[in-house]
Amino acid sequence: MNRLDGKVALVTGAGQGIGEAIAKTLGREGALVWCTDIDEQAAEATVAGIANAGGEARTFALDVTDESAWNALAETFESGSLSLDVLVHNAGMEWVVPLADIELSDWRRVMSVNVESVYLGCRKLLPALKRSGARHEAGASVVNISSIAGMVGYPDQSAYNTSKAAVRHLSKSLAIEFAAHEMNIRVNSVHPGCVDTPMLQEAMEAWAETEAFGTRDLAEVRKQVAALHPLNKLAHPDDIASGVLYLASDEARFVTGAELAIDGGWTAR
Ligand SMILES: NC(=O)c1ccc[n+]([C@@H]2O[C@H](COP(=O)([O-])OP(=O)(O)OC[C@H]3O[C@@H](n4cnc5c(N)ncnc54)[C@H](O)[C@@H]3O)[C@@H](O)[C@H]2O)c1
């Protein structure tokens, strides 16, 4: 408890799934959490959950692909000269489609939601992150949710895999850049395996429909997806939130440019 006391955090895509778990974990540990999502109602529900547990949270409607929305968010921080201690880029979209069926507009949409969003967040909120870096010895912390798909290939999701690999490398690039300019802002990426969220449910439905696992039975697909991980199970969103909490906390003061796989052993083979 209280590993983030006095810190201000912001999470994108905080309305459900992994983002909701991250926001609630950071709130439980004492951070004031800005819960942002394209789905305002979902973000408000997360804020209510944090408040009910005795934490403090705010909501902000943010489509991560919308530069003007990022500008409005940044202005909120600038007008109060507010610091941002923890920035979690979590919002993302999966796209399970073979290359032959991906239109250029689809490809660009995936890059926009998954990669440009990380550029926009770091770019627009940099002054607020710098203020935090100047104040705290352990530095500000940016945590980018990539995927095992950013480390190894997987069939029929080349746009998604490419976007997540870009997030991994952008994280390392910014980690080195911020260190070189002595900003005291750490940047790390997190690489989940398959996590039991609405996004995975949709992917599994698509795999059942296309018989990608040799069956149309959703329960059987789920079993086979779990079996892809050496630990033979799916992750719970809290498993990912625990890793983010470590990277966000002062315990990770010497950790930057790292990639944290939380994948039941998937990438260890
Ligand atoms: N679920 C998995 O198995 C898995 C595995 C590896 C990585 N990830 C990554 O974890 C992150 C979260 O995944 P999830 O499974 O919780 O997804 P999810 O689809 O269940 O939830 C995503 C949240 O992001 C929000 N969102 C979507 N587009 C947005 C936009 N343009 N602007 C702002 N908010 C937007 C949605 O409203 C939703 O609340 C994603 O980046 C995903 O790629 C998920």
Side-chain angles (χ1 to χ4, degrees), residues 134-212:
R135 266 181 212 165
H136 301 293
E137 191 273 333
S141 173
V142 178
V143 183
N144 298 325
I145 307 301
S146 174
S147 168
I148 49 173
M151 302 166 94
V152 294
Y154 198 81
D156 298 339
Q157 46 181 54
S158 55
Y160 182 74
N161 298 350
T162 303
S163 71
K164 291 300 186 180
V167 169
R168 173 178 176 269
H169 202 70
L170 179 55
S171 304
K172 291 185 191 300
S173 303
L174 292 180
I176 296 304
E177 180 173 327
F178 294 165
H181 295 294
E182 297 184 2
M183 291 180 189
N184 203 17
I185 303 170
R186 299 180 290 105
V187 187
N188 296 287
S189 57
V190 171
H191 301 261
C194 295
V195 190
D196 207 355
T197 68
M199 174 187 282
L200 181 67
Q201 182 65 23
E202 252 180 57
M204 289 191 297
E205 282 166 13
W207 286 321
E209 206 176 297
T210 57
E211 295 189 39

Coordinates of all heavy atoms in Angstrom, one line a residue, residues 134-212:
A134 N 12.2 16.9 -12.4 CA 13.0 17.9 -11.7 C 12.8 17.8 -10.2 O 13.6 18.2 -9.4 CB 12.7 19.3 -12.2
R135 N 11.6 17.3 -9.8 CA 11.2 17.3 -8.4 C 11.6 16.1 -7.6 O 11.9 16.1 -6.4 CB 9.7 17.5 -8.2 CG 9.3 18.9 -8.1 CD 7.8 19.0 -7.9 NE 7.4 20.3 -8.5 CZ 6.2 20.6 -8.9 NH1 5.2 19.8 -8.7 NH2 5.9 21.8 -9.4
H136 N 11.6 14.9 -8.3 CA 11.8 13.7 -7.6 C 13.0 13.0 -8.1 O 13.3 12.8 -9.3 CB 10.6 12.7 -8.0 CG 9.2 13.3 -7.6 ND1 8.9 13.5 -6.3 CD2 8.2 13.7 -8.3 CE1 7.7 14.0 -6.2 NE2 7.2 14.1 -7.5
E137 N 13.8 12.5 -7.1 CA 15.1 11.9 -7.4 C 14.8 10.6 -8.3 O 15.6 10.3 -9.2 CB 15.8 11.5 -6.1 CG 17.2 11.0 -6.3 CD 17.3 9.5 -6.5 OE1 16.4 8.8 -6.1 OE2 18.3 9.1 -7.2
A138 N 13.7 9.9 -8.0 CA 13.5 8.7 -8.8 C 12.9 8.9 -10.2 O 12.8 8.0 -11.0 CB 12.5 7.8 -8.0
G139 N 12.6 10.2 -10.5 CA 12.2 10.5 -11.8 C 10.7 10.3 -12.1 O 10.1 9.5 -11.4
A140 N 10.3 10.9 -13.2 CA 8.9 10.6 -13.7 C 9.0 9.3 -14.5 O 10.1 8.8 -14.9 CB 8.5 11.7 -14.7
S141 N 7.9 8.6 -14.6 CA 7.9 7.3 -15.2 C 6.8 7.2 -16.4 O 5.6 7.5 -16.1 CB 7.5 6.2 -14.2 OG 7.4 5.0 -14.8
V142 N 7.3 6.9 -17.6 CA 6.3 6.6 -18.7 C 6.3 5.1 -18.9 O 7.4 4.5 -19.0 CB 6.8 7.3 -20.0 CG1 5.8 6.9 -21.1 CG2 6.9 8.8 -19.8
V143 N 5.1 4.5 -18.9 CA 5.0 3.0 -19.1 C 4.1 2.8 -20.3 O 3.0 3.3 -20.4 CB 4.4 2.3 -17.9 CG1 4.4 0.8 -18.1 CG2 5.1 2.7 -16.6
N144 N 4.7 2.2 -21.3 CA 4.0 1.9 -22.6 C 3.6 0.5 -22.7 O 4.4 -0.4 -22.6 CB 4.9 2.3 -23.8 CG 5.2 3.8 -23.7 OD1 4.4 4.6 -23.3 ND2 6.4 4.2 -24.1
I145 N 2.3 0.2 -22.9 CA 1.8 -1.2 -23.0 C 2.0 -1.6 -24.4 O 1.2 -1.2 -25.3 CB 0.3 -1.3 -22.5 CG1 0.1 -0.7 -21.1 CG2 0.0 -2.8 -22.5 CD1 1.0 -1.3 -20.0
S146 N 3.0 -2.5 -24.6 CA 3.2 -3.1 -25.9 C 2.5 -4.4 -25.9 O 1.4 -4.5 -25.5 CB 4.7 -3.2 -26.2 OG 5.0 -3.9 -27.4
S147 N 3.2 -5.5 -26.2 CA 2.6 -6.8 -26.3 C 3.8 -7.8 -26.6 O 4.8 -7.4 -27.1 CB 1.6 -6.9 -27.4 OG 1.2 -8.2 -27.6
I148 N 3.5 -9.1 -26.3 CA 4.5 -10.1 -26.8 C 4.5 -10.0 -28.3 O 5.5 -10.3 -29.0 CB 4.1 -11.5 -26.4 CG1 2.6 -11.8 -26.7 CG2 4.4 -11.8 -25.0 CD1 2.2 -13.3 -26.5
A149 N 3.4 -9.5 -29.0 CA 3.4 -9.3 -30.4 C 4.4 -8.3 -30.9 O 4.7 -8.2 -32.1 CB 2.0 -8.9 -30.9
G150 N 4.9 -7.5 -30.0 CA 6.0 -6.5 -30.3 C 7.4 -7.2 -30.2 O 8.4 -6.5 -30.5
M151 N 7.5 -8.4 -29.7 CA 8.7 -9.1 -29.6 C 8.9 -10.3 -30.5 O 10.0 -10.6 -30.9 CB 8.9 -9.6 -28.1 CG 8.8 -8.5 -27.1 SD 8.6 -9.1 -25.4 CE 10.3 -9.1 -24.9
V152 N 7.8 -11.0 -30.8 CA 7.8 -12.1 -31.7 C 6.6 -12.0 -32.6 O 5.6 -11.3 -32.3 CB 7.7 -13.5 -30.9 CG1 8.9 -13.7 -30.0 CG2 6.4 -13.5 -30.0
G153 N 6.7 -12.7 -33.7 CA 5.6 -12.6 -34.7 C 4.4 -13.5 -34.3 O 4.6 -14.4 -33.5
Y154 N 3.3 -13.3 -34.9 CA 2.1 -14.1 -34.7 C 1.3 -14.0 -36.0 O 1.2 -12.9 -36.5 CB 1.3 -13.7 -33.5 CG 0.4 -14.9 -33.1 CD1 0.9 -15.9 -32.3 CD2 -1.0 -14.9 -33.5 CE1 0.0 -17.0 -32.0 CE2 -1.8 -15.9 -33.2 CZ -1.3 -17.0 -32.4 OH -2.1 -18.0 -32.1
P155 N 0.8 -15.1 -36.6 CA 0.1 -15.0 -37.9 C -1.1 -14.1 -37.9 O -1.8 -13.9 -36.9 CB -0.3 -16.4 -38.2 CG 0.1 -17.3 -37.1 CD 0.8 -16.4 -36.0
D156 N -1.4 -13.5 -39.0 CA -2.7 -12.8 -39.3 C -2.9 -11.5 -38.5 O -4.0 -11.1 -38.2 CB -3.9 -13.7 -39.2 CG -3.8 -14.8 -40.2 OD1 -3.1 -14.7 -41.2 OD2 -4.5 -15.9 -40.0
Q157 N -1.8 -10.9 -38.0 CA -2.0 -9.7 -37.3 C -0.7 -8.8 -37.5 O -0.2 -8.2 -36.5 CB -2.3 -9.9 -35.8 CG -1.4 -10.9 -35.1 CD -1.8 -11.1 -33.6 OE1 -3.0 -11.3 -33.3 NE2 -0.9 -10.9 -32.7
S158 N -0.3 -8.7 -38.7 CA 1.0 -8.0 -39.0 C 0.9 -6.5 -38.6 O 1.9 -6.0 -38.2 CB 1.3 -8.1 -40.5 OG 0.3 -7.7 -41.3
A159 N -0.2 -5.9 -38.8 CA -0.3 -4.5 -38.5 C -0.2 -4.3 -37.0 O 0.6 -3.4 -36.5 CB -1.7 -3.9 -38.9
Y160 N -0.9 -5.1 -36.2 CA -0.8 -5.0 -34.7 C 0.6 -5.3 -34.3 O 1.2 -4.6 -33.5 CB -1.8 -6.1 -34.1 CG -1.8 -6.1 -32.6 CD1 -2.5 -5.0 -31.9 CD2 -1.3 -7.1 -31.9 CE1 -2.5 -5.0 -30.5 CE2 -1.3 -7.1 -30.5 CZ -1.9 -6.0 -29.8 OH -2.0 -6.0 -28.4
N161 N 1.2 -6.4 -34.8 CA 2.6 -6.8 -34.4 C 3.6 -5.6 -34.7 O 4.4 -5.3 -33.8 CB 3.1 -8.0 -35.2 CG 2.2 -9.2 -34.9 OD1 1.4 -9.3 -34.0 ND2 2.4 -10.3 -35.7
T162 N 3.4 -5.1 -35.8 CA 4.3 -4.0 -36.2 C 4.1 -2.8 -35.3 O 5.1 -2.1 -34.9 CB 4.0 -3.5 -37.7 OG1 4.2 -4.7 -38.5 CG2 5.0 -2.5 -38.2
S163 N 2.9 -2.5 -35.0 CA 2.6 -1.3 -34.1 C 3.2 -1.5 -32.7 O 3.8 -0.6 -32.1 CB 1.1 -1.0 -34.0 OG 0.5 -2.0 -33.3
K164 N 3.1 -2.8 -32.2 CA 3.6 -3.0 -30.9 C 5.1 -3.1 -30.8 O 5.7 -2.7 -29.8 CB 3.0 -4.3 -30.3 CG 1.5 -4.2 -30.1 CD 1.2 -3.1 -29.0 CE -0.2 -3.0 -28.6 NZ -0.5 -2.0 -27.6
A165 N 5.8 -3.5 -32.0 CA 7.2 -3.5 -32.0 C 7.7 -2.0 -32.1 O 8.7 -1.7 -31.5 CB 7.7 -4.2 -33.3
A166 N 6.9 -1.2 -32.7 CA 7.3 0.3 -32.8 C 7.2 0.9 -31.4 O 8.0 1.7 -31.0 CB 6.3 1.0 -33.8
V167 N 6.2 0.5 -30.6 CA 6.0 1.0 -29.2 C 7.2 0.6 -28.4 O 7.8 1.4 -27.6 CB 4.7 0.5 -28.6 CG1 4.7 0.8 -27.1 CG2 3.5 1.1 -29.3
R168 N 7.7 -0.7 -28.6 CA 8.9 -1.1 -27.9 C 10.1 -0.3 -28.2 O 10.8 0.2 -27.3 CB 9.1 -2.6 -28.3 CG 10.4 -3.2 -27.8 CD 10.5 -4.7 -28.2 NE 11.7 -5.3 -27.8 CZ 12.8 -5.3 -28.6 NH1 12.8 -4.7 -29.8 NH2 13.9 -5.9 -28.1
H169 N 10.3 0.0 -29.5 CA 11.5 0.8 -29.9 C 11.4 2.2 -29.5 O 12.3 2.9 -29.2 CB 11.8 0.5 -31.3 CG 13.2 0.8 -31.6 ND1 14.3 0.0 -31.2 CD2 13.8 1.9 -32.2 CE1 15.4 0.5 -31.5 NE2 15.2 1.7 -32.2
L170 N 10.2 2.8 -29.7 CA 9.9 4.2 -29.3 C 10.3 4.3 -27.8 O 10.9 5.4 -27.4 CB 8.5 4.6 -29.6 CG 8.0 6.0 -29.2 CD1 8.9 7.0 -29.9 CD2 6.6 6.2 -29.7
S171 N 9.9 3.4 -27.0 CA 10.1 3.4 -25.6 C 11.7 3.5 -25.3 O 12.1 4.3 -24.5 CB 9.6 2.2 -24.9 OG 8.2 2.1 -25.1
K172 N 12.4 2.6 -26.0 CA 13.9 2.6 -25.8 C 14.5 3.9 -26.3 O 15.4 4.5 -25.6 CB 14.5 1.4 -26.5 CG 14.1 0.1 -25.9 CD 14.9 -1.1 -26.6 CE 14.3 -2.4 -26.1 NZ 14.4 -2.7 -24.7
S173 N 14.0 4.4 -27.4 CA 14.6 5.6 -28.0 C 14.3 6.8 -27.1 O 15.3 7.6 -26.8 CB 13.9 5.9 -29.3 OG 14.1 4.9 -30.2
L174 N 13.1 6.9 -26.5 CA 12.8 8.0 -25.6 C 13.5 7.9 -24.3 O 14.0 8.9 -23.7 CB 11.3 8.2 -25.4 CG 10.6 8.6 -26.7 CD1 9.1 8.8 -26.4 CD2 11.1 9.9 -27.3
A175 N 13.7 6.6 -23.8 CA 14.4 6.4 -22.6 C 15.9 7.0 -22.7 O 16.3 7.7 -21.8 CB 14.5 4.9 -22.3
I176 N 16.5 6.7 -23.9 CA 17.9 7.2 -24.1 C 17.9 8.7 -24.3 O 18.8 9.4 -23.8 CB 18.5 6.5 -25.3 CG1 18.6 5.0 -25.0 CG2 19.8 7.0 -25.7 CD1 19.4 4.6 -23.8
E177 N 16.9 9.2 -25.1 CA 16.9 10.6 -25.3 C 16.7 11.4 -24.0 O 17.4 12.4 -23.8 CB 15.7 10.9 -26.3 CG 15.6 12.4 -26.7 CD 14.6 12.7 -27.8 OE1 14.5 11.8 -28.7 OE2 14.0 13.8 -27.8
F178 N 15.7 11.0 -23.2 CA 15.4 11.8 -22.0 C 16.6 11.7 -21.0 O 16.9 12.6 -20.3 CB 14.1 11.2 -21.3 CG 12.9 11.5 -22.1 CD1 11.7 10.8 -21.8 CD2 12.8 12.4 -23.2 CE1 10.5 11.0 -22.5 CE2 11.6 12.6 -23.9 CZ 10.5 11.9 -23.6
A179 N 17.3 10.5 -21.0 CA 18.5 10.4 -20.2 C 19.6 11.3 -20.7 O 20.2 12.0 -19.9 CB 18.9 9.0 -20.1
A180 N 19.7 11.4 -22.0 CA 20.8 12.2 -22.6 C 20.6 13.6 -22.2 O 21.6 14.4 -22.1 CB 20.9 12.0 -24.1
H181 N 19.4 14.1 -22.2 CA 19.0 15.5 -21.9 C 18.8 15.7 -20.4 O 18.3 16.8 -20.0 CB 17.8 15.9 -22.7 CG 18.1 15.9 -24.2 ND1 19.1 16.8 -24.8 CD2 17.7 15.2 -25.2 CE1 19.1 16.5 -26.1 NE2 18.3 15.6 -26.4
E182 N 19.1 14.7 -19.6 CA 19.0 14.8 -18.1 C 17.7 15.3 -17.6 O 17.5 16.1 -16.8 CB 20.1 15.7 -17.6 CG 21.5 15.1 -17.9 CD 22.6 16.0 -17.3 OE1 22.4 17.0 -16.6 OE2 23.8 15.6 -17.5
M183 N 16.6 14.7 -18.3 CA 15.2 15.1 -17.9 C 14.7 14.3 -16.7 O 13.7 14.6 -16.1 CB 14.3 14.9 -19.0 CG 14.5 15.8 -20.2 SD 13.3 15.5 -21.5 CE 13.9 16.5 -22.8
N184 N 15.4 13.2 -16.3 CA 15.0 12.4 -15.2 C 13.6 11.8 -15.5 O 12.7 11.9 -14.6 CB 15.1 13.1 -13.9 CG 15.2 12.2 -12.7 OD1 15.5 11.1 -12.9 ND2 14.9 12.7 -11.5
I185 N 13.4 11.4 -16.7 CA 12.1 10.7 -17.1 C 12.4 9.3 -17.5 O 13.2 9.2 -18.5 CB 11.3 11.5 -18.2 CG1 11.1 12.9 -17.8 CG2 10.0 10.8 -18.5 CD1 10.6 13.8 -18.9
R186 N 12.0 8.3 -16.8 CA 12.2 6.9 -17.3 C 11.1 6.5 -18.2 O 10.0 6.9 -18.1 CB 12.2 6.0 -16.0 CG 13.3 6.4 -15.0 CD 13.3 5.5 -13.8 NE 12.2 5.7 -12.9 CZ 11.2 4.8 -12.8 NH1 11.1 3.7 -13.6 NH2 10.2 5.1 -12.0
V187 N 11.5 5.6 -19.2 CA 10.5 5.1 -20.1 C 10.7 3.6 -20.3 O 11.9 3.2 -20.6 CB 10.6 5.8 -21.5 CG1 9.5 5.3 -22.4 CG2 10.7 7.3 -21.4
N188 N 9.7 2.8 -20.1 CA 9.8 1.4 -20.2 C 8.6 0.8 -20.9 O 7.5 1.5 -20.9 CB 9.9 0.8 -18.8 CG 11.2 1.2 -18.1 OD1 12.3 0.7 -18.4 ND2 11.0 2.1 -17.1
S189 N 8.7 -0.4 -21.5 CA 7.6 -1.0 -22.1 C 7.2 -2.3 -21.4 O 8.1 -3.0 -20.8 CB 7.9 -1.3 -23.6 OG 9.0 -2.1 -23.8
V190 N 5.9 -2.6 -21.4 CA 5.4 -3.8 -20.8 C 4.8 -4.7 -21.9 O 4.1 -4.2 -22.8 CB 4.3 -3.5 -19.8 CG1 3.6 -4.8 -19.3 CG2 5.0 -2.8 -18.6
H191 N 5.1 -6.0 -21.9 CA 4.7 -6.9 -22.9 C 3.9 -8.1 -22.4 O 4.4 -9.1 -22.1 CB 6.0 -7.5 -23.6 CG 6.8 -6.4 -24.2 ND1 6.8 -6.0 -25.5 CD2 7.7 -5.5 -23.6 CE1 7.6 -5.0 -25.7 NE2 8.2 -4.6 -24.5
P192 N 2.5 -7.8 -22.4 CA 1.7 -8.9 -21.9 C 1.5 -10.1 -22.9 O 1.6 -9.8 -24.1 CB 0.3 -8.2 -21.7 CG 0.6 -6.7 -21.8 CD 1.8 -6.6 -22.6
G193 N 1.3 -11.3 -22.3 CA 0.8 -12.4 -23.1 C -0.7 -12.2 -23.3 O -1.2 -11.0 -23.3
C194 N -1.5 -13.2 -23.4 CA -2.9 -13.1 -23.6 C -3.6 -12.8 -22.2 O -3.5 -13.6 -21.3 CB -3.5 -14.3 -24.2 SG -2.9 -14.5 -25.9
V195 N -4.3 -11.7 -22.2 CA -4.9 -11.2 -20.9 C -6.4 -11.3 -21.1 O -7.0 -10.9 -22.1 CB -4.5 -9.8 -20.6 CG1 -4.9 -9.4 -19.2 CG2 -3.0 -9.6 -20.8
D196 N -7.1 -11.8 -20.1 CA -8.5 -12.0 -20.1 C -9.3 -10.7 -20.1 O -9.6 -10.2 -19.0 CB -8.9 -12.9 -19.0 CG -10.2 -13.7 -19.3 OD1 -10.8 -13.4 -20.4 OD2 -10.6 -14.5 -18.5
T197 N -9.5 -10.0 -21.2 CA -10.2 -8.7 -21.3 C -11.1 -8.8 -22.5 O -11.1 -9.7 -23.3 CB -9.2 -7.6 -21.6 OG1 -8.7 -7.8 -22.9 CG2 -8.0 -7.6 -20.6
P198 N -12.0 -7.8 -22.6 CA -12.9 -7.8 -23.8 C -12.1 -7.8 -25.1 O -12.6 -8.4 -26.1 CB -13.6 -6.4 -23.7 CG -13.6 -6.2 -22.2 CD -12.3 -6.7 -21.7
M199 N -10.9 -7.2 -25.2 CA -10.1 -7.3 -26.4 C -9.8 -8.7 -26.8 O -9.9 -9.2 -27.9 CB -8.8 -6.5 -26.3 CG -7.9 -6.6 -27.5 SD -6.3 -5.8 -27.3 CE -6.7 -4.1 -27.6
L200 N -9.3 -9.5 -25.8 CA -9.0 -10.9 -26.1 C -10.2 -11.7 -26.5 O -10.2 -12.6 -27.4 CB -8.3 -11.5 -24.9 CG -7.8 -13.0 -25.1 CD1 -6.7 -13.1 -26.2 CD2 -7.4 -13.6 -23.8
Q201 N -11.3 -11.4 -25.8 CA -12.6 -12.1 -26.1 C -12.9 -11.9 -27.6 O -13.3 -12.9 -28.3 CB -13.7 -11.5 -25.2 CG -15.0 -12.2 -25.4 CD -15.1 -13.7 -24.9 OE1 -14.2 -14.1 -24.1 NE2 -16.0 -14.5 -25.5
E202 N -12.8 -10.7 -28.0 CA -13.1 -10.4 -29.5 C -12.1 -11.2 -30.4 O -12.6 -11.7 -31.4 CB -12.9 -8.9 -29.7 CG -14.2 -8.2 -30.0 CD -13.9 -6.7 -30.2 OE1 -13.2 -6.4 -31.2 OE2 -14.4 -5.9 -29.4
A203 N -10.9 -11.2 -30.0 CA -9.9 -11.9 -30.8 C -10.2 -13.4 -30.9 O -10.2 -14.0 -31.9 CB -8.5 -11.7 -30.3
M204 N -10.6 -13.9 -29.7 CA -10.9 -15.4 -29.7 C -12.1 -15.7 -30.5 O -12.2 -16.7 -31.2 CB -11.0 -15.9 -28.2 CG -9.7 -15.9 -27.5 SD -9.7 -16.7 -25.9 CE -10.8 -15.7 -25.0
E205 N -13.1 -14.7 -30.5 CA -14.3 -15.0 -31.3 C -13.9 -15.0 -32.8 O -14.4 -15.8 -33.6 CB -15.3 -13.9 -31.0 CG -16.1 -14.1 -29.7 CD -16.9 -13.0 -29.2 OE1 -17.1 -12.0 -29.9 OE2 -17.3 -13.0 -28.0
A206 N -13.0 -14.1 -33.2 CA -12.5 -14.1 -34.6 C -11.8 -15.4 -34.9 O -12.0 -15.9 -36.0 CB -11.6 -12.9 -34.8
W207 N -11.0 -15.9 -34.0 CA -10.2 -17.1 -34.2 C -11.2 -18.3 -34.3 O -11.0 -19.2 -35.1 CB -9.2 -17.4 -33.1 CG -8.0 -16.5 -33.2 CD1 -7.4 -16.1 -34.3 CD2 -7.3 -15.9 -32.1 NE1 -6.3 -15.2 -34.0 CE2 -6.2 -15.1 -32.7 CE3 -7.5 -15.9 -30.7 CZ2 -5.3 -14.4 -31.9 CZ3 -6.6 -15.1 -29.9 CH2 -5.5 -14.4 -30.5
A208 N -12.3 -18.3 -33.5 CA -13.3 -19.3 -33.6 C -14.0 -19.3 -35.0 O -14.2 -20.3 -35.7 CB -14.3 -19.2 -32.5
E209 N -14.3 -18.1 -35.4 CA -15.1 -17.9 -36.7 C -14.2 -18.4 -37.8 O -14.8 -19.0 -38.8 CB -15.4 -16.4 -36.8 CG -16.6 -16.2 -37.7 CD -16.9 -14.7 -37.7 OE1 -17.3 -14.1 -36.6 OE2 -16.9 -14.1 -38.8
T210 N -12.9 -18.1 -37.8 CA -12.1 -18.5 -38.9 C -11.5 -19.9 -38.7 O -10.7 -20.3 -39.5 CB -10.9 -17.5 -39.1 OG1 -10.2 -17.4 -37.9 CG2 -11.4 -16.1 -39.5
E211 N -11.8 -20.5 -37.6 CA -11.3 -21.9 -37.3 C -9.8 -21.9 -37.3 O -9.1 -22.8 -37.7 CB -11.9 -22.9 -38.2 CG -13.4 -23.1 -38.1 CD -13.9 -24.3 -38.9 OE1 -13.3 -25.3 -38.9 OE2 -15.0 -24.2 -39.5
A212 N -9.2 -20.8 -36.8 CA -7.8 -20.7 -36.7 C -7.2 -21.7 -35.8 O -6.0 -22.1 -36.0 CB -7.4 -19.3 -36.2

